[in-house]
Amino acid sequence: DDDPVQLKLVRLILANAGYRVVTAADGREALRVARRERPDAILSDVLMPGLDGFDLCLAVRRDPDLAHIPVVLITSHYLEEEDRRLARRAGANEFLCRPTGYDRAPESIARSIEIGAPPLPGEDASALKAAHVHRLSEQLERQLAANAGISRRCSLQAAQLALMQGLCHSLAVRSDFESALGDILASCLDSAGISRGAVSIRSGRAAGIFHAVGLRGTDAARLEALLSAEGMPAEVAGATSHVAIPDERTPPAWGRALLDLLGVERALLVPLDAGGERIGFLVLASSTTDLRADDARQFAELLAGHISQAILFVRMISRLTLSEARYRGIVEATREGIWTFDEAGRTTFVNARMAAMLDLPLEQVQGMRVVDLLSEDDRAAAEHWLARNEAGASEAREFRIRRPDGSELFVLVSANPVLDEAGRYRGGLAVVSDLTEHKRIQAQLMMSDRMVSVGTLAAGVVHEINNPLTVAVGNLDLVWRTLSTRAAEGGLDPSLAEVLPELSDAREATQRIRQIVRDLRIFARTEVHETRVSVVESAR
């Protein structure tokens, strides 16, 4: 056998059956080995280069030293009854077909050894040779057709692999997905031997040509009209699988218009479905490739499936990107700090506001422990707070942030635990509010409240002092005026005249007290009432 794998397999089967086996890679080598080893039987493949199984069997029968050796032929390709007759005419004992022939080989060899070789063929050698050539020609044609099919399938597989690789690459590294998909589509169609193709994407009731290969701009515009909701027949628009054109299920006029536009005799339309939604069609056209063949149809459906998934994936990525940008904008625009940390308390994200509170660059905050960024006096409380967060508690606590310049920031940290799908703790999300200005205003309000209290007290004291002070001022002024008048008239007792200076000092003292009371009234923001004393002298 010229196939080393088959040769090794049969050798193991025969060895396990108790035979001593000598192998040969082709018919000519087999003749040399047989003349040297003189085997009890020969088992040979039929289809081999140089000297095939039929020729080997004839050569053995015509060799006087080997003619008695039985020959069993085995094949994977010569499977018709005419091949069996040719094997008998060439002098073969038995004719086995793979793969079942492997199991029957030991039994066939044993039976052939027991019966012995058939007699030398008596028919004309030229007739036998002609029959051999005829069967060989048919087999070679069959092999060529099979090889062509295999080659085509390999091309289609290569195109599919190129498609998947190109899509993965474009999704991973290329931002221009439309251009990438156009290049990939052209490459795949070229590999599959398909001359024209287009990807039509629905947008409402209109159809837009996403990509076109082998079509001019005006043809693409006409194709959009044929594939729109108004232009496409309902039986094509609602198809759940591929639609071959021409087809008796589709209106002939529409099918002919499509084929004339594409300039071909055959076309294939494959629905593009993504997420349970019909998003468009893949259109393939060829004048040389039979698009109705299974391999072409499978290629088209696979290509459509990959394109649908790629478009769906790109749309999902686009929505996620927009969503991420929207929420990132919200996070960055908020006046509150956003702080996330992992299960070990290490920072995983802070927004710009939080970084400004910490007075540290964003990249420097990454990986730092939350506790290490707080005031030393608050760290023990922060460790307990993190432990409570890990236990599932959502708490808000005040802490002080220690900044690089030594200043402290009073903040309120409201944290919630973050859990994964299995309910395991994966860290926390905290909203941080700057309380520093609030604390300052609060302190000012407290001082203001104290001053109001003092003012209220002062107003009360002024009121309590002012009443007796008014009496004292009035009486002192009355006495001083009376005594002064009498002293001027000379009718004042000398002992009383001696107290006039003391009365004058007392009057000045009471005026000073009155000024202090006025000042207290201003501090207490009470109305200042000027008290005037009127002295009425009575005639004596």
Side-chain angles (χ1 to χ4, degrees), residues 466-485:
N466 192 55
N467 290 334
L469 180 62
T470 301
V471 175
V473 169
N475 289 333
L476 281 173
D477 192 66
L478 177 63
V479 172
W480 185 83
R481 287 176 181 273
T482 302
L483 293 179
S484 296
T485 302

Side-chain angles (χ1 to χ4, degrees), residues 45-97:
D45 183 32
V46 175
L47 189 60
M48 293 184 295
L51 195 68
D52 67 3
F54 294 131
D55 285 332
L56 173 62
C57 192
L58 281 171
V60 168
R61 292 290 169 262
R62 289 170 179 165
D63 189 325
D65 295 329
L66 303 178
H68 66 283
I69 298 176
V71 177
V72 176
L73 297 179
I74 187 168
T75 184
S76 300
H77 306 286
Y78 290 87
L79 306 177
E80 300 177 7
E81 182 58 34
E82 192 172 348
D83 299 317
R84 293 182 179 275
R85 289 197 297 269
L86 179 60
R88 288 194 293 269
R89 291 166 62 185
N93 286 63
E94 294 196 21
F95 192 79
L96 305 177
C97 296

Side-chain angles (χ1 to χ4, degrees), residues 21 26 57 110 134 150-151 184 209 241 244 270 281 318 322 330 340 371 413 418 445 458 465 473 505-506 510 513:
V21 184
D26 56 45
C57 192
H134 174 68
I150 292 173
S151 177
I184 295 164
I209 300 301
S241 61
V270 186
F281 283 87
S318 178
L322 291 175
I330 294 172
T340 65
V371 173
V413 184
V418 175
L445 289 174
I465 292 177
V473 169
D505 292 341
T510 55
I513 294 173

Side-chain angles (χ1 to χ4, degrees), residues 341-347 369-370 383 386 390 425-427:
F341 48 89
D342 61 17
E343 56 269 28
R346 293 185 297 267
T347 301
R369 295 193 76 242
V370 173
E383 292 284 6
L386 286 174
E390 185 174 356
Y425 178 73
R426 292 304 182 193

